[in-house]
Amino acid sequence: MAADATHRAIEAVFRIERARLIATLARMTRDVDRAEELAQDALMLALAEWPRAGVPANPGAWLTAAAKRRAIDGFRRSAMQERKHAEIAREADGARDMSIEHLEARLDDDLGDELLGLIFAACHPVLSPEARAALTLRLVGGLTTLEIARAFLSNEAAIAARITRAKKAIAKAGVAFEVPRGRALAPRLASVLEVVYLIFNEGYAATSGPDLVRPPLCAEAQRLGRILAGLMPEEPEVLALLALMEIQASRLAARAGADGAFVPLPEQNRARWDQLLIRRGLKALERVDALGGADGPYALQAALAACHARARRAEDTDWKRIAALYDRLGQVMPSPVVELNRAVAHSMAFGPEAGLALVDAIAGEAALRNYAPLPAARGDFLLRAGRKAEAKAAFEAAAALTANERERDFLLGRAAACR
């Protein structure tokens, strides 16, 4: 194989293996920065050796072994080595086996899947949701700080600083790179799912900037969801989140017109919906039901998305079922945003006045004070009720609150149509 082809093969292998390699090394060293350095060292060794010796039969195992050897060399030269050896000595009643094989065995004790442990560490609640998202994209997704900055419309220095602070916070808190056990699992899993869905939502409905959607972020969140589902195949809410993202992502191509303008759900060309993603999502949702998880928050949201996915035409949408699902979701996961979406569903199922009654009841919620979807929904209800002047004012108020240029143009267009 030519040298340049070998280099491309090495880089491709490294992209695939990077997250799992860092996960293994982070669990060994309890230091994310050191894990990234060791992974990079392994890549440099591969770039030096593979063009001469050829790509090994199991390149991932080769990279892992190379990085582990470097880690063990570091243990032998550092205070970390002394602490680890002291621990081993105590457990072995004073015996000090300094062989590489023994050290590898001790460092690789069965604490659960390394990659899953890395995800749980990166999504630890000690970090802010924004820091968790950036760190997860960096460590698990393999995105550069520049790519993450572009995705969230930030600058590279700010994202780099956020990631650095997150790593330090994890180290200071003594976060273990392993899957929580027993009662500790549920709250930590909720944090992981929250981060993945946060990443997806930023791609599905960009909070600011000139683009309505950022498909690469959605794709990265879906990839993370598939990893989680593969590692935790019996967790209903993991499968439910994956189902929700797959079904929502099926509509990405139809959410914007050729000019990038926002296309609301009832007006989308459903022939552009990705049927493969819909089938994947519905299959995952069936598995959730089989596991008895149909009443979970993500399961209910996935069921809502499925109602739209199953409707071949907008007029075929079962809005009464959607309203009932939102009633249930409001009990399981009460929040002002859920209540707003519930108002929209009731307006479609039972008329605009029903929606107005529900939205007026939550208008004073602090969480919705500067939330553009609230006046936007109210404007839609008012317009459908024939109250055009009030609808125009509501759409203009919504346009003033959104930071996304495409959404602002859409809302101002609706306001203009009310004249």
Side-chain angles (χ1 to χ4, degrees):
M1 186 184 290
D4 59 341
T6 303
H7 280 200
R8 287 196 299 272
I10 295 168
E11 290 167 0
V13 167
F14 188 71
R15 281 196 300 272
I16 295 168
E17 298 292 338
R18 181 183 179 278
R20 195 175 296 276
L21 181 58
I22 290 174
T24 301
L25 296 167
R27 205 184 78 186
M28 288 174 63
T29 64
R30 298 294 192 265
D31 184 331
V32 176
D33 280 325
R34 182 62 179 146
E36 289 190 284
E37 289 173 5
L38 289 166
Q40 199 66 29
D41 287 348
L43 173 62
M44 293 300 103
L45 284 171
L47 288 169
E49 293 191 21
W50 292 5
R52 173 178 51 81
V55 178
N58 190 336
W62 190 100
L63 288 167
T64 300
K68 282 182 177 180
R69 299 283 171 157
R70 295 296 289 267
I72 290 170
D73 287 343
F75 284 138
R76 283 181 159 167
R77 293 191 303 266
S78 67
M80 184 184 296
Q81 174 205 31
E82 293 303 318
R83 291 195 298 271
K84 191 67 183 178
H85 288 174
E87 175 188 335
I88 294 170
R90 286 194 301 272
E91 292 181 9
D93 294 325
R96 292 181 68 86
D97 184 347
M98 297 293 290
S99 69
I100 286 176
E101 292 75 13
H102 183 72
L103 282 172
E104 284 185 337
R106 294 304 305 164
L107 292 167
D108 277 346
D109 52 352
D110 185 14
L111 296 176
D113 187 274
E114 292 94 340
L115 182 54
L116 195 54
L118 179 65
I119 294 172
F120 272 89
C123 297
H124 197 284
V126 73
L127 307 175
S128 70
E130 295 79 13
R132 283 179 252 162
L135 189 60
T136 301
L137 288 172
R138 176 75 190 115
L139 296 180
V140 185
L143 275 66
T144 66
T145 52
L146 179 58
E147 289 171 329
I148 299 169
R150 285 174 176 169
F152 287 100
L153 297 185
S154 183
N155 63 72
E156 188 174 5
I159 291 296
R162 182 181 298 173
I163 291 172
T164 297
R165 288 194 300 270
K167 290 176 182 177
K168 288 180 179 178
I170 284 176
K172 184 178 180 181
V175 173
F177 291 82
E178 60 190 57
V179 183
R181 306 297 182 190
R183 294 180 180 178
L185 177 61
R188 287 288 303 282
L189 179 58
S191 173
V192 171
L193 300 183
E194 176 192 10
V195 169
V196 175
Y197 198 35
L198 182 154
I199 294 168
F200 180 85
N201 276 332
E202 185 57 34
Y204 187 76
T207 53
S208 59
D211 298 318
L212 182 71
V213 296
R214 297 174 192 151
L217 270 184
C218 289
E220 191 56 42
Q222 288 167 262
R223 189 176 77 84
L224 292 171
R226 289 169 191 152
I227 290 172
L228 285 169
L231 297 173
M232 306 181 77
E234 302 299 314
E235 286 289 341
E237 280 291 85
V238 171
L239 295 169
L241 175 58
L242 178 59
L244 173 59
M245 293 191 296
E246 301 280 45
I247 296 171
Q248 295 281 68
S250 73
R251 304 200 291 260
L252 278 173
R255 292 196 76 232
D259 59 354
F262 173 62
V263 180
L265 182 59
E267 299 173 22
Q268 288 177 14
N269 177 1
R270 299 188 179 214
R272 299 189 67 196
W273 289 4
D274 189 323
Q275 294 300 314
L276 174 60
L277 288 178
I278 290 174
R279 288 195 295 273
R280 282 180 178 173
L282 294 178
K283 184 177 180 180
L285 192 55
E286 288 175 4
R287 178 64 179 153
V288 172
D289 289 342
L291 291 170
D295 264 353
Y298 290 109
L300 289 167
Q301 291 175 80
L304 286 161
C307 287
H308 295 292
R310 292 188 178 108
R312 292 292 182 181
R313 303 174 303 163
E315 53 267 35
D316 296 333
T317 305
D318 189 348
W319 282 107
K320 289 186 177 179
R321 172 164 170 72
I322 291 174
L325 285 168
Y326 267 117
D327 291 344
R328 180 62 184 142
L329 183 61
Q331 296 172 348
V332 172
M333 190 179 73
S335 81
V337 173
V338 170
E339 286 303 307
L340 175 58
N341 289 328
R342 177 171 169 261
V344 172
H346 276 254
S347 80
M348 297 300 293
F350 308 112
E353 296 295 345
L356 281 169
L358 290 174
V359 85
D360 287 345
I362 59 172
E365 292 282 350
L368 300 178
R369 189 164 296 146
N370 296 307
Y371 189 58
L374 175 65
R378 196 168 191 279
D380 182 72
F381 304 161
L382 290 165
L383 182 60
R384 287 164 47 213
R387 297 157 63 178
K388 290 187 177 182
E390 294 172 84
K392 178 176 180 294
F395 286 132
E396 289 173 342
L401 290 174
T402 185
N404 185 279
E405 295 172 21
R406 296 297 183 180
E407 285 185 358
R408 186 184 303 119
D409 291 343
F410 172 75
L411 291 165
L412 291 174
R414 295 208 73 185
C418 294
R419 292 171 184 166

Short mmCIF file of all heavy atoms in Angstrom, two decimals, residues 253-276:
data_model
loop_
_atom_site.label_atom_id
_atom_site.label_comp_id
_atom_site.label_asym_id
_atom_site.label_seq_id
_atom_site.Cartn_x
_atom_site.Cartn_y
_atom_site.Cartn_z
N ALA A 253 -34.85 17.47 5.84
CA ALA A 253 -34.77 17.97 4.45
C ALA A 253 -35.99 18.78 4.05
O ALA A 253 -35.92 19.60 3.12
CB ALA A 253 -34.59 16.79 3.49
N ALA A 254 -37.11 18.57 4.74
CA ALA A 254 -38.35 19.26 4.38
C ALA A 254 -38.61 20.49 5.24
O ALA A 254 -39.56 21.23 4.98
CB ALA A 254 -39.53 18.29 4.50
N ARG A 255 -37.80 20.73 6.27
CA ARG A 255 -38.07 21.84 7.20
C ARG A 255 -37.72 23.19 6.61
O ARG A 255 -38.19 24.22 7.10
CB ARG A 255 -37.29 21.66 8.50
CG ARG A 255 -37.75 20.50 9.35
CD ARG A 255 -37.24 20.60 10.76
NE ARG A 255 -38.00 21.59 11.52
CZ ARG A 255 -37.46 22.58 12.21
NH1 ARG A 255 -36.15 22.74 12.22
NH2 ARG A 255 -38.21 23.41 12.88
N ALA A 256 -36.89 23.20 5.56
CA ALA A 256 -36.51 24.46 4.93
C ALA A 256 -36.71 24.35 3.42
O ALA A 256 -36.51 23.28 2.83
CB ALA A 256 -35.06 24.80 5.24
N GLY A 257 -37.11 25.46 2.81
CA GLY A 257 -37.28 25.48 1.36
C GLY A 257 -35.95 25.62 0.65
O GLY A 257 -34.88 25.67 1.28
N ALA A 258 -35.99 25.70 -0.68
CA ALA A 258 -34.76 25.82 -1.46
C ALA A 258 -33.99 27.09 -1.10
O ALA A 258 -32.76 27.13 -1.21
CB ALA A 258 -35.10 25.81 -2.95
N ASP A 259 -34.72 28.12 -0.65
CA ASP A 259 -34.07 29.37 -0.27
C ASP A 259 -33.69 29.41 1.21
O ASP A 259 -33.24 30.44 1.72
CB ASP A 259 -34.99 30.55 -0.58
CG ASP A 259 -36.33 30.46 0.15
OD1 ASP A 259 -36.60 29.42 0.80
OD2 ASP A 259 -37.12 31.42 0.06
N GLY A 260 -33.89 28.30 1.92
CA GLY A 260 -33.55 28.23 3.34
C GLY A 260 -34.66 28.69 4.25
O GLY A 260 -34.52 28.66 5.47
N ALA A 261 -35.78 29.12 3.68
CA ALA A 261 -36.90 29.62 4.49
C ALA A 261 -37.58 28.48 5.25
O ALA A 261 -37.66 27.35 4.76
CB ALA A 261 -37.91 30.33 3.62
N PHE A 262 -38.07 28.79 6.43
CA PHE A 262 -38.73 27.80 7.27
C PHE A 262 -40.04 27.34 6.65
O PHE A 262 -40.84 28.14 6.14
CB PHE A 262 -39.02 28.42 8.65
CG PHE A 262 -39.85 27.54 9.55
CD1 PHE A 262 -39.41 26.31 9.96
CD2 PHE A 262 -41.10 27.98 9.99
CE1 PHE A 262 -40.18 25.50 10.79
CE2 PHE A 262 -41.88 27.19 10.82
CZ PHE A 262 -41.41 25.95 11.21
N VAL A 263 -40.25 26.02 6.66
CA VAL A 263 -41.51 25.44 6.18
C VAL A 263 -42.18 24.76 7.36
O VAL A 263 -41.66 23.77 7.89
CB VAL A 263 -41.26 24.40 5.05
CG1 VAL A 263 -42.58 23.81 4.57
CG2 VAL A 263 -40.49 25.02 3.90
N PRO A 264 -43.35 25.25 7.82
CA PRO A 264 -44.01 24.63 8.98
C PRO A 264 -44.47 23.22 8.67
O PRO A 264 -44.68 22.86 7.50
CB PRO A 264 -45.19 25.57 9.25
CG PRO A 264 -45.42 26.31 7.99
CD PRO A 264 -44.09 26.42 7.31
N LEU A 265 -44.63 22.43 9.71
CA LEU A 265 -44.94 21.01 9.56
C LEU A 265 -46.14 20.74 8.64
O LEU A 265 -46.04 19.88 7.76
CB LEU A 265 -45.18 20.40 10.95
CG LEU A 265 -45.47 18.90 11.01
CD1 LEU A 265 -44.33 18.09 10.40
CD2 LEU A 265 -45.71 18.47 12.45
N PRO A 266 -47.28 21.43 8.80
CA PRO A 266 -48.42 21.10 7.93
C PRO A 266 -48.17 21.35 6.45
O PRO A 266 -48.85 20.78 5.60
CB PRO A 266 -49.53 22.03 8.46
CG PRO A 266 -49.12 22.39 9.84
CD PRO A 266 -47.63 22.45 9.80
N GLU A 267 -47.20 22.21 6.13
CA GLU A 267 -46.94 22.56 4.73
C GLU A 267 -45.76 21.81 4.14
O GLU A 267 -45.41 22.01 2.97
CB GLU A 267 -46.70 24.08 4.62
CG GLU A 267 -47.88 24.92 5.06
CD GLU A 267 -47.56 26.41 5.11
OE1 GLU A 267 -46.60 26.82 4.42
OE2 GLU A 267 -48.26 27.15 5.82
N GLN A 268 -45.11 20.94 4.91
CA GLN A 268 -43.94 20.24 4.40
C GLN A 268 -44.31 19.22 3.33
O GLN A 268 -45.38 18.60 3.38
CB GLN A 268 -43.20 19.55 5.55
CG GLN A 268 -42.49 20.52 6.47
CD GLN A 268 -41.82 19.84 7.65
OE1 GLN A 268 -41.66 18.62 7.67
NE2 GLN A 268 -41.44 20.62 8.65
N ASN A 269 -43.41 19.03 2.40
CA ASN A 269 -43.55 18.00 1.38
C ASN A 269 -43.15 16.67 2.00
O ASN A 269 -41.96 16.37 2.17
CB ASN A 269 -42.66 18.34 0.18
CG ASN A 269 -42.71 17.26 -0.90
OD1 ASN A 269 -43.43 16.27 -0.79
ND2 ASN A 269 -41.96 17.45 -1.96
N ARG A 270 -44.13 15.86 2.34
CA ARG A 270 -43.86 14.63 3.07
C ARG A 270 -43.14 13.58 2.23
O ARG A 270 -42.60 12.61 2.78
CB ARG A 270 -45.15 14.09 3.68
CG ARG A 270 -45.74 15.11 4.65
CD ARG A 270 -46.91 14.64 5.46
NE ARG A 270 -47.32 15.75 6.34
CZ ARG A 270 -47.81 15.62 7.55
NH1 ARG A 270 -47.99 14.42 8.06
NH2 ARG A 270 -48.12 16.68 8.27
N ALA A 271 -43.11 13.78 0.93
CA ALA A 271 -42.33 12.88 0.09
C ALA A 271 -40.85 13.04 0.35
O ALA A 271 -40.05 12.15 0.02
CB ALA A 271 -42.64 13.16 -1.38
N ARG A 272 -40.48 14.17 0.95
CA ARG A 272 -39.06 14.41 1.26
C ARG A 272 -38.68 13.86 2.63
O ARG A 272 -37.51 13.92 3.02
CB ARG A 272 -38.76 15.91 1.19
CG ARG A 272 -39.00 16.55 -0.16
CD ARG A 272 -38.47 17.97 -0.18
NE ARG A 272 -37.00 17.98 -0.08
CZ ARG A 272 -36.29 19.05 0.23
NH1 ARG A 272 -36.90 20.20 0.54
NH2 ARG A 272 -34.97 19.00 0.28
N TRP A 273 -39.62 13.35 3.38
CA TRP A 273 -39.29 12.75 4.67
C TRP A 273 -38.53 11.45 4.44
O TRP A 273 -38.88 10.66 3.55
CB TRP A 273 -40.56 12.49 5.48
CG TRP A 273 -41.22 13.73 6.01
CD1 TRP A 273 -40.86 15.03 5.77
CD2 TRP A 273 -42.37 13.80 6.84
NE1 TRP A 273 -41.71 15.90 6.41
CE2 TRP A 273 -42.64 15.18 7.09
CE3 TRP A 273 -43.20 12.85 7.43
CZ2 TRP A 273 -43.71 15.60 7.88
CZ3 TRP A 273 -44.27 13.27 8.22
CH2 TRP A 273 -44.52 14.63 8.44
N ASP A 274 -37.53 11.22 5.24
CA ASP A 274 -36.68 10.04 5.11
C ASP A 274 -37.38 8.82 5.71
O ASP A 274 -37.45 8.67 6.93
CB ASP A 274 -35.34 10.30 5.81
CG ASP A 274 -34.30 9.22 5.54
OD1 ASP A 274 -34.69 8.03 5.46
OD2 ASP A 274 -33.10 9.55 5.44
N GLN A 275 -37.86 7.94 4.84
CA GLN A 275 -38.64 6.80 5.31
C GLN A 275 -37.78 5.77 6.06
O GLN A 275 -38.27 5.07 6.94
CB GLN A 275 -39.35 6.12 4.12
CG GLN A 275 -40.41 7.00 3.47
CD GLN A 275 -41.50 7.39 4.46
OE1 GLN A 275 -42.01 6.56 5.21
NE2 GLN A 275 -41.87 8.67 4.46
N LEU A 276 -36.49 5.69 5.72
CA LEU A 276 -35.62 4.77 6.44
C LEU A 276 -35.49 5.19 7.90
O LEU A 276 -35.58 4.35 8.81
CB LEU A 276 -34.23 4.73 5.78
CG LEU A 276 -33.17 3.89 6.52
CD1 LEU A 276 -33.61 2.44 6.64
CD2 LEU A 276 -31.82 3.99 5.81
#
